[in-house]
């Protein structure tokens, strides 16, 4: 039916009404819009796409099993220069927040933050309960929720941004 693969790994309903989906074997990123499927060329180093999100500016981001964070730019995927040199550990999830930040959950390296063109990483050394982050969500009360191997934890979003920016030393999460 036009899908580039039979194993759908991640899916996103975008603000414009289109559907983005990632398939495996080999990795592909496709967009279904107005009845047409368009498949974007994937960098050869990508094994699998683990997450697809749309940020507050409407940009589409993907996270890959080989640790890449890529942005859709027209008909291509481009690496974000802010994440150059970040851990090449599997991205498990992505979470955009209304302030334009993009949070990255890694399989073994805690969380990453892309904000205002800069990248920072937080781990157990900065107070996270776990370095394996499987899912993330934020709420209207200003909390960032993290699901990982040790359960569900919550940190104040403002504190996470402050620690990432070097304005605060440690996070103080609550384990639920």
């Amino acid at each position: 039916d036009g899908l580039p693969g039979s194993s759908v790994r991640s899916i996103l309903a975008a603000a414009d009404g289109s559907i983005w989906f990632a398939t495996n074997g080999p990795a592909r990123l496709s967009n279904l819009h107005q009845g047409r499927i368009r498949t974007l060329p994937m960098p050869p180093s990508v094994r699998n796409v683990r997450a697809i999100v749309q940020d507050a500016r409407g940009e589409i981001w993907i996270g890959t099993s080989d640790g890449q964070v890529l942005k859709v730019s027209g008909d291509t995927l481009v690496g974000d220069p802010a994440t150059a040199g970040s851990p090449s550990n599997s991205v498990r999830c992505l979470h955009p927040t209304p302030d334009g930040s993009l949070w990255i959950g890694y399989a073994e390296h805690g969380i990453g933050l892309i904000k205002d063109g800069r990248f920072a990483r937080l781990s157990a050394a900065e107070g996270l309960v776990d370095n394996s982050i499987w899912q993330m969500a934020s709420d209207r009360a200003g909390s960032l929720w993290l699901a990982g191997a040790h359960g569900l934890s919550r940190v104040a979003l403002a504190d996470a941004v402050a620690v990432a920016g070097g304005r605060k030393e440690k996070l103080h999460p609550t384990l639920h």
Side-chain angles (χ1 to χ4, degrees):
D1 296 326
L3 290 177
S6 60
S7 175
V8 176
R9 190 67 144 164
S10 188
I11 192 165
L12 166 72
D16 67 358
S18 67
I19 303 294
W20 289 87
F21 53 93
T23 56
N24 285 352
R28 297 278 190 261
L29 179 68
S30 300
N31 174 262
L32 173 62
H33 187 66
Q34 298 178 342
R36 301 185 78 155
I37 295 176
R38 168 180 66 121
T39 299
L40 280 66
M42 189 69 64
S45 59
V46 172
R47 292 187 314 248
N48 293 305
V49 175
R50 297 274 189 206
I52 310 169
V53 296
Q54 186 171 27
D55 70 14
R57 290 180 294 274
E59 296 183 288
I60 306 295
W61 295 85
I62 70 167
T64 72
S65 62
D66 52 298
Q68 296 182 63
V69 177
L70 306 168
K71 181 171 47 173
V72 173
S73 178
D75 286 334
T76 61
L77 290 166
V78 295
D80 186 85
T83 60
S86 67
S88 61
N89 187 257
S90 183
V91 172
R92 292 292 187 222
C93 59
L94 297 172
H95 179 66
T97 52
D99 68 351
S101 298
L102 181 67
W103 294 88
I104 306 158
Y106 291 101
E108 296 174 3
H109 290 285
I111 60 177
L113 169 63
I114 300 173
K115 183 171 177 59
D116 301 326
R118 285 179 263 214
F119 175 79
R121 189 176 63 83
L122 305 175
S123 68
E126 287 77 34
L128 289 181
V129 170
D130 202 326
N131 279 330
S132 283
I133 305 299
W134 301 336
Q135 282 295 336
M136 278 188 278
S138 56
D139 62 24
R140 292 184 188 147
S143 295
L144 183 64
W145 294 83
L146 308 169
H150 292 99
L152 183 65
S153 63
R154 177 176 50 92
V155 298
L157 194 54
D159 288 349
V161 171
V163 172
R167 295 181 306 283
K168 192 171 182 178
E169 191 173 314
K170 286 276 190 185
L171 295 168
H172 301 284
T174 304
L175 189 59
H176 293 270

